[in-house]
Amino acid sequence: MKLPIDLQFLRRPFERRTPPGSAPGTAAKPEEEVASRMHLVAFGPEDFQETVIENAAEVREYLGSYDVTWIHVHGLGNTAQLRQLADMFDLHPLVYEDILHPHQRAKAEEYGDYAFIVVRMVELEPHLDTRQLSMVVGDNFVLSIEEASSQDRLEPVRERLRKRVGRIRQMNSDYLSYALMDSVIDHYFPVVESFGDRLDTLDDPLAAGYTNDIIPQIQKISSDLLTIRRNLLPHREAIRNMMGARFTRYTDNTTVFLRDADDHTSQLLDAIDAYRQICSDMRDFHFALTSQRANEVTKTLTIIATVFIPLSFIAGVYGMNFNDMPGLKWEWGYEFAWLMMISIAGGMLAWFYNRGWFKG
Amino acid sequence: MKLPIDLQFLRRPFERRTPPGSAPGTAAKPEEEVASRMHLVAFGPEDFQETVIENAAEVREYLGSYDVTWIHVHGLGNTAQLRQLADMFDLHPLVYEDILHPHQRAKAEEYGDYAFIVVRMVELEPHLDTRQLSMVVGDNFVLSIEEASSQDRLEPVRERLRKRVGRIRQMNSDYLSYALMDSVIDHYFPVVESFGDRLDTLDDPLAAGYTNDIIPQIQKISSDLLTIRRNLLPHREAIRNMMGARFTRYTDNTTVFLRDADDHTSQLLDAIDAYRQICSDMRDFHFALTSQRANEVTKTLTIIATVFIPLSFIAGVYGMNFNDMPGLKWEWGYEFAWLMMISIAGGMLAWFYNRGWFKG
Amino acid sequence: MKLPIDLQFLRRPFERRTPPGSAPGTAAKPEEEVASRMHLVAFGPEDFQETVIENAAEVREYLGSYDVTWIHVHGLGNTAQLRQLADMFDLHPLVYEDILHPHQRAKAEEYGDYAFIVVRMVELEPHLDTRQLSMVVGDNFVLSIEEASSQDRLEPVRERLRKRVGRIRQMNSDYLSYALMDSVIDHYFPVVESFGDRLDTLDDPLAAGYTNDIIPQIQKISSDLLTIRRNLLPHREAIRNMMGARFTRYTDNTTVFLRDADDHTSQLLDAIDAYRQICSDMRDFHFALTSQRANEVTKTLTIIATVFIPLSFIAGVYGMNFNDMPGLKWEWGYEFAWLMMISIAGGMLAWFYNRGWFKG
Amino acid sequence: MKLPIDLQFLRRPFERRTPPGSAPGTAAKPEEEVASRMHLVAFGPEDFQETVIENAAEVREYLGSYDVTWIHVHGLGNTAQLRQLADMFDLHPLVYEDILHPHQRAKAEEYGDYAFIVVRMVELEPHLDTRQLSMVVGDNFVLSIEEASSQDRLEPVRERLRKRVGRIRQMNSDYLSYALMDSVIDHYFPVVESFGDRLDTLDDPLAAGYTNDIIPQIQKISSDLLTIRRNLLPHREAIRNMMGARFTRYTDNTTVFLRDADDHTSQLLDAIDAYRQICSDMRDFHFALTSQRANEVTKTLTIIATVFIPLSFIAGVYGMNFNDMPGLKWEWGYEFAWLMMISIAGGMLAWFYNRGWFKG
Amino acid sequence: MKLPIDLQFLRRPFERRTPPGSAPGTAAKPEEEVASRMHLVAFGPEDFQETVIENAAEVREYLGSYDVTWIHVHGLGNTAQLRQLADMFDLHPLVYEDILHPHQRAKAEEYGDYAFIVVRMVELEPHLDTRQLSMVVGDNFVLSIEEASSQDRLEPVRERLRKRVGRIRQMNSDYLSYALMDSVIDHYFPVVESFGDRLDTLDDPLAAGYTNDIIPQIQKISSDLLTIRRNLLPHREAIRNMMGARFTRYTDNTTVFLRDADDHTSQLLDAIDAYRQICSDMRDFHFALTSQRANEVTKTLTIIATVFIPLSFIAGVYGMNFNDMPGLKWEWGYEFAWLMMISIAGGMLAWFYNRGWFKG
Ligand SMILES: [Mg+2]
Ligand SMILES: [Mg+2]
Ligand SMILES: [Mg+2]
Ligand SMILES: [Mg+2]
Ligand SMILES: [Mg+2]
Ligand SMILES: [Mg+2]
Ligand SMILES: [Mg+2]
Ligand SMILES: [Mg+2]
Ligand SMILES: [Mg+2]
Ligand SMILES: [Mg+2]
Ligand SMILES: [Mg+2]
Ligand SMILES: [Mg+2]
Ligand SMILES: [Mg+2]
Ligand SMILES: [Mg+2]
Ligand SMILES: [Mg+2]
Ligand SMILES: [Mg+2]
Ligand SMILES: [Mg+2]
Ligand SMILES: [Mg+2]
Ligand SMILES: [Mg+2]
Ligand SMILES: [Mg+2]
Ligand SMILES: [Mg+2]
Ligand SMILES: [Mg+2]
Ligand SMILES: [Mg+2]
Ligand SMILES: [Mg+2]
Ligand SMILES: [Mg+2]
Ligand SMILES: [Mg+2]
Ligand SMILES: [Mg+2]
Ligand SMILES: [Mg+2]
Ligand SMILES: [Mg+2]
Ligand SMILES: [Mg+2]
Ligand SMILES: [Mg+2]
């Protein structure tokens, strides 16, 4: 049996590299040596500029000139550039610390000049995990920093910007940050659905009933769904927080879209609950089936054994070596012994049958 | 055993056809090729007009002329007409997207000029499922769009309009939308009751105790009830939302009726809980019964085996081939052996009896 | 075993007689043909009048002349009279519908000129069930309608009115409706206590441990208590609703008494929880006891069988028919065989004893 | 096995002596004939007077003359005196009823001129039970009435008054009532701790693993802790109610102390939860241990039986009486038979060993 | 098996040394004779002074002269000095009592001139336990009192003060108290992670499946995690309380940092839940594995026994001593007997195989 436990998680619950008691805002250099890549998109309804940048200082020339400047950093390896960006946008040390320690729960916080949003990108390969996307949303910029991952969740948004799909080029930085968040949440859908597909492949072996490791597989699915649930739930809190009256960065125009993201989260949570219910049903079915079969085996074998025990006893009696045993010399003795044995066996079977032990 | 799992659900949790990261409001063409049928009823206290329309443009001529115009679209296949209606009523892209992706939870949302209501119609055939009814409720119109289904949940409301039953012709569009929602919720009652009927057919085989597949059946019922519960619960949230002070489309007059719909939802949820409790009771009863019977079988057979084991041993002893075994040549040896065997058997049975092993 | 399931409930969860989608307020004639009986009490601090009335129209002559007029209708069979009363007091169609479909949850609603209160009267005979008492509470009247039942829950209040016990004759219609509700809730006490009595009769057979059907009985009690809980809980919501600032019909004077009714409900719910805990304890005890006994039986029999198996084998060896078997002809062969068998049996028993298999 | 059920509770859930439907405020004479004893303490910062009184009328002479007069009634037997006190302080009939029916949940209610507080005193002897202490707190008096009990929970407060310990003589009636409540809650601590002591005595027999009745004992402790929890929880609600802005009798000065009482309640509830967790751990450990031992026994015996079965068969074969059986007359036949039997036994044991059946 | 129960906790749930009913604020001398050590740090942006003090009176000379004076007392043994400090800062008796009875739940309370904060420091050695850190936070001082412990949780903060790391020297007493609290919470991280390491060492023996005491170990981990959870949860309440509008001591500047501490607590609680889920998965896996193996053993042995039982019966029949038994003298009798026995065994095995008893 394969062990249905996510050892990955066991080894690295928190991405902490600073000792306990460090000054808040202390940000240790991440172990992973993925060099940060920086990508910049600047746009307005009519303008569009996209470029890869090497030095954070290049950002300044776009900031005032376009309605929205989106700086995206992929990978946490280049702390020098990150530090420079943090200084440029005057980030609070706690924000900077959270960006560099990518084990934060999804959340939305307002600081004076910007909002700080954390979402988690789900991925199935090489094993179920989530990666942090941090966003700093100012009046005319979005700074997004992504924990290195092989899967690009944000390319669809770039495409919409390039091709001017929908309203995104007309809208401000708050809408852009919503669009990024929405894209991240959208990518939970195929992940959750894949668990349905995996459950679907289990129903035939389950009905056949002989697969030993089906329970660990179901349990692994149920446990993974719970992990997704635990990661997803804070997104809903964050979204509702952003929609609330006390969170001022998101305009009414964008709030309507946040309500849609809220819907998506609820739908995902509903589907996760439904799948977990199916896991639980499958487990119950498996145990009902195997217990029924075990009963069948035990009952059959016990009945066979029990019927033969008195017969063997009779044979044993007639095998005793007494000099003078009645019947042994009788002409029909042997036939009588068989008659007795057959009667006893038949009587026992009839009695068992009457008591209903052969049914069900 | 039949597998008590709703594979249908496994295969299609979300009616999404757009890739993750699409612009919000993107609405892909539904796969199902059920051509939309459009039906229009326009009425006031004194006027009544009912017609099938082919082209969405025909709607305009009724809109101003009647107190309420109800446009009903059955089936999502004709996106051209739906698009035209969406433009006519200036629907928000998110509303249009929700209409075309019929996996939304029940909800009620206010947009500027209209409210958007989603409810889910339950159906048992060919298997337990729910279908989406979307409603756009404006000042003088209701636009309802129904995911294709073989069962018509709204005909009773049309009949009331035609025959002027009750107050419906005197009331406005908000009351009409309530009436449609009420009709949808009313149809949950026979569905929920049908599970009671199914449980009722299980009680005799359950009491008889030998039916192998009764547990999967009960489990399927319990699981289906949970599915209904999960679909129904958001209706209550939606209704309470509509009754709240911040939701302004529904007048106090109609709010009284919404309170009644709220009652109905609570009654349904209570009945579902009660039925699930019965499922759980039946399951417990079945396990108590089968475990009692299994104990009875095991105990009987074990006692038989155990009583005969020493007897067979004695017979075996007297079957040994020693040249010089005491008793073998004794006149009453054989009788003595029987006496010994009967005494041992009787003694064991008496001892078992005294310890209470034959009781209960 | 008796099936611990309340089939009554299975068959009639909702007292609905109108098809889904009927106009709200549609009230079908109840199937039960219990002719309604009407009873009227009119009173003030000094006046008292009690009479049986045949025609609802008779009510009018009392309405203005007394401080409070209480019209009580027993049985829903006479819809003509009920309709007449509904018209007289200008009842909302939804109120009328709720009165005629006696499966409502306990609730309190304010309409313009009256409050509408529903409570449920519990009864144990012929089986656990609840009956609806609907109350319409106006400025100078209480109209109460009771689903037909063989048990009179309201007579104590009539007695207090007749005999001028306490303050009831000095108070208004709101206090009268409280008194009726209080009397209904009071009658839950003996019902809940009766489950304690039933549990009390089960403790001796439970300790004896051999009663097969004790688990279904306990389960039935626990399930019934849950049914009472489900019926009772909405009363608390209704009472708290009536005490709230937004519910205006009940004066501060009466609110003090409602708080007492709220206490009673909480005490009942506490007692139900305590009894259900006892049920659960009894169940656990039963399973601990039976499993201990089953272990004892199995262990004893298995040890007997296991000890004899090698002995029988030795006897079998000496029963082999080899021409030339050592020991068979030895003078002490037979005695040696016994010695061997006794040693083996003793050794095994000693070994079992050392491993602690005879303890506990 | 002792039955782990508190029959006391079964017999007397409610201390009601009035029939259902009685006028609210009806107070039947308690069955217990414990004659009430009345005790009075009157004090101010400088004055102190303590006396036993026979007649309630004596109270009047102290009421105006001291800052605080505390009248304490022990035992509900003397209803005449209680009635006189109720009249003197103009108690609401519902308050009087609650005093005489000592099954109330802990609560705090404000009436016009006084607050009415109920707390429950826990006691372990002769079995776990709680007794009601009712307090009426007016501007310059506290009237406390205690259900008869052999344990005095309030003497420490009297001592503090006599010896002027702490601030109690400087404070008003609200502080006195807090002090009484605090003393009652303080007495829960040794009771809860005693369950820890009892669990502590169970760990050695538990580790030994052979005690049959350990599960019922643990279950009884867990159940008793739940009973305490159920009694204690309403105290927290009552205290928070008293601290709330809408409850006006308790000054800010005293509210600080109420917050301390609130802490104590939370600590008790935490400890109860921790103990119940330990009960659950012990139960799980016991089942793991006994199931491991049962497996060990069963496996050993089954292996013994299974190894001997083929051997006995071989012996049986050589015991057949065929005229002409190969081997019987062979010189080494007997030795060959033994060789075969030993080989088979050894082979089976080796096979079992290889499959790991001897491990764990 | 080792008993997975924390006996330490059993013995000392509450650190109470005063009898029930003592005056609130009564503080008994702690049993532990750890002499208090007093340490003082006084600082401002530019000034820094650190000293060990012997007498509490020395504190006064620093209080006015520095922006912040931090007095830290380690160990509760020297009540004279503690009393002096309490008098110096005019501590409420309840605060003093809570400091001396270190079993308080984490909490934050405002008194007039100071806030009183309690946090609990977790430690794993010698066994899982928590120690109380009490803080009194005034305008220009922090008085912290720590239950004696071998582990210093606060040294990192002292280091930051000494080395002027981060902003701590620029900030006020509220920030210092936050920093102490943050350091305490930070130390939960390695403790929680250590449970992951322990679970990680269990997965290989778990997969091997033969370790008897793995379940108690897992259960102990799960139970310890629950203990940490119970201790940690009140910190979140306390932090949210401190962040709330009604708690005035913490400025907006510091509230941002409290939000970070709140995040940490939530992350810890999430990790605890995830680990407990893994414990539960491991337990389920273990039971699935052992039950599968037990089934395998039982089935194999039962099949062996059952196949041989009829064979032995046949051998027994041919061992009967009838004078005239057919076949015994037949030339091929013996071969025929073997044929019969082999056929029966083969037939039974084939039948078992067909019924699928060898699979799974
Ligand atoms: Mg920190
Ligand atoms: Mg931090
Ligand atoms: Mg990660
Ligand atoms: Mg399939
Ligand atoms: Mg906002
Ligand atoms: Mg949507
Ligand atoms: Mg999207
Ligand atoms: Mg969408
Ligand atoms: Mg669908
Ligand atoms: Mg039936
Ligand atoms: Mg409204
Ligand atoms: Mg209704
Ligand atoms: Mg309806
Ligand atoms: Mg209705
Ligand atoms: Mg009924
Ligand atoms: Mg009894
Ligand atoms: Mg009111
Ligand atoms: Mg009362
Ligand atoms: Mg009453
Ligand atoms: Mg009462
Ligand atoms: Mg009592
Ligand atoms: Mg101990
Ligand atoms: Mg011990
Ligand atoms: Mg207050
Ligand atoms: Mg305290
Ligand atoms: Mg105290
Ligand atoms: Mg205290
Ligand atoms: Mg401690
Ligand atoms: Mg490992
Ligand atoms: Mg604040
Ligand atoms: Mg942080």
Side-chain angles (χ1 to χ4, degrees), chain D residues 56-174:
Chain D
E58 300 171 42
V59 170
R60 277 187 212 281
E61 48 191 286
Y62 297 89
L63 273 180
S65 328
Y66 291 85
D67 285 11
V68 184
T69 305
W70 169 25
I71 311 104
H72 180 68
V73 184
H74 179 274
L76 306 173
N78 195 337
T79 41
Q81 297 296 328
L82 285 169
R83 183 68 261 167
Q84 213 174 327
L85 286 166
D87 292 340
M88 185 184 304
F89 296 114
D90 199 19
L91 299 189
H92 194 286
L94 291 170
V95 169
Y96 186 60
E97 183 187 329
D98 284 357
I99 291 170
L100 283 196
H101 296 97
H103 63 272
Q104 310 302 316
R105 309 170 84 225
K107 65 175 176 177
E109 296 174 344
E110 273 201 312
Y111 288 82
D113 288 339
Y114 54 86
F116 178 56
I117 316 283
V118 173
V119 291
R120 304 202 65 81
M121 303 174 296
V122 72
E123 62 186 31
L124 274 173
E125 297 304 327
H127 61 269
L128 178 66
D129 202 2
T130 61
R131 304 250 147 200
Q132 179 169 326
L133 175 69
S134 314
M135 291 186 280
V136 178
V137 186
D139 285 344
N140 62 347
F141 73 91
V142 171
L143 167 62
S144 59
I145 303 102
E146 180 186 356
E147 192 184 355
S149 151
S150 57
Q151 282 152 313
D152 192 343
R153 301 305 197 207
L154 309 180
E155 184 62 18
V157 180
R158 271 180 223 112
E159 273 298 298
R160 279 154 54 194
L161 283 168
R162 284 177 204 126
K163 303 192 174 155
R164 220 195 264 220
V165 176
R167 67 188 68 192
I168 194 164
R169 288 270 290 276
Q170 277 75 38
M171 307 288 280
N172 289 329
S173 61
D174 62 337

Side-chain angles (χ1 to χ4, degrees), chain D residues 278, chain E residues 3-11 127-129 220 224 227:
Chain D
I278 289 173
Chain E
L3 205 62
I5 297 169
D6 195 346
L7 292 177
Q8 180 65 15
F9 182 82
L10 282 174
R11 253 170 265 133
H127 62 267
L128 178 66
D129 202 2
K220 174 86 178 86
D224 276 358
T227 302

Side-chain angles (χ1 to χ4, degrees), chain E residues 103-352:
Chain E
H103 63 271
Q104 310 302 317
R105 308 170 85 224
K107 65 174 176 178
E109 297 173 344
E110 274 201 312
Y111 288 82
D113 287 339
Y114 55 87
F116 178 56
I117 316 282
V118 174
V119 290
R120 302 202 67 80
M121 302 175 296
V122 73
E123 62 186 31
L124 274 173
E125 296 304 326
H127 62 267
L128 178 66
D129 202 2
T130 61
R131 304 251 147 199
Q132 179 169 325
L133 175 68
S134 315
M135 291 186 280
V136 179
V137 186
D139 285 344
N140 62 347
F141 73 91
V142 171
L143 167 62
S144 58
I145 304 103
E146 180 186 355
E147 192 184 355
S149 152
S150 56
Q151 280 152 314
D152 191 344
R153 300 305 197 208
L154 309 180
E155 185 62 17
V157 180
R158 271 180 222 111
E159 274 297 298
R160 278 155 53 194
L161 282 168
R162 286 178 203 125
K163 305 195 173 153
R164 220 193 265 220
V165 176
R167 68 188 67 192
I168 194 164
R169 288 270 289 276
Q170 277 75 39
M171 307 287 280
N172 289 329
S173 60
D174 62 337
Y175 185 84
L176 175 60
S177 70
Y178 151 73
L180 296 175
M181 186 178 206
D182 178 59
S183 184
V184 166
I185 292 175
D186 272 4
H187 280 89
Y188 278 85
F189 282 88
V191 170
V192 169
E193 276 178 324
S194 75
F195 286 96
D197 296 340
R198 286 168 58 190
L199 285 172
D200 197 27
T201 64
L202 291 180
D203 64 349
D204 292 332
L206 182 71
Y210 295 117
T211 321
N212 267 329
D213 60 351
I214 208 159
I215 287 302
Q217 284 186 58
I218 291 171
Q219 193 180 329
K220 174 86 178 86
I221 291 173
S222 182
S223 177
D224 276 358
L225 287 167
L226 198 61
T227 302
I228 298 180
R229 194 180 208 297
R230 197 165 22 232
N231 275 280
L232 193 56
L233 202 59
H235 289 84
R236 189 156 71 174
E237 293 164 35
I239 293 169
R240 295 193 175 167
N241 187 8
M242 289 157 76
M243 291 165 72
R246 278 163 48 186
F247 210 104
T248 59
R249 181 146 298 273
Y250 290 84
T251 60
D252 280 1
N253 248 346
T254 310
T255 296
V256 176
F257 291 91
L258 288 173
R259 191 166 60 182
D260 188 55
D262 183 35
D263 277 1
H264 291 188
T265 320
S266 296
Q267 289 161 14
L268 284 162
L269 292 169
D270 270 8
I272 289 172
D273 289 348
Y275 279 150
R276 279 173 53 81
Q277 175 66 24
I278 288 172
C279 288
S280 156
D281 286 354
M282 283 178 137
R283 223 163 5 210
D284 289 352
F285 177 83
H286 179 80
F287 287 125
L289 187 63
T290 52
S291 113
Q292 177 199 323
R293 294 203 172 164
N295 283 339
E296 189 193 17
V297 172
T298 305
K299 203 190 277 184
T300 310
L301 301 184
T302 313
I303 287 176
I304 290 175
T306 311
V307 166
F308 274 102
I309 279 172
L311 308 192
S312 288
F313 167 66
I314 289 171
V317 164
Y318 282 111
M320 295 193 295
N321 293 324
F322 285 103
N323 273 0
D324 184 33
M325 242 172 81
L328 283 185
K329 286 156 192 160
W330 178 32
E331 190 183 354
W332 298 103
Y334 180 65
E335 285 72 16
F336 175 75
W338 269 111
L339 183 69
M340 196 161 52
M341 293 192 290
I342 290 171
S343 308
I344 286 176
M348 284 176 79
L349 290 173
W351 188 55
F352 293 169

Side-chain angles (χ1 to χ4, degrees), chain C residues 178 182-183 186 260 264, chain D residues 16 21-24 97:
Chain C
Y178 151 73
D182 179 58
S183 184
D186 273 5
D260 188 56
H264 290 188
Chain D
R16 292 177 60 83
S22 298
E97 183 187 329

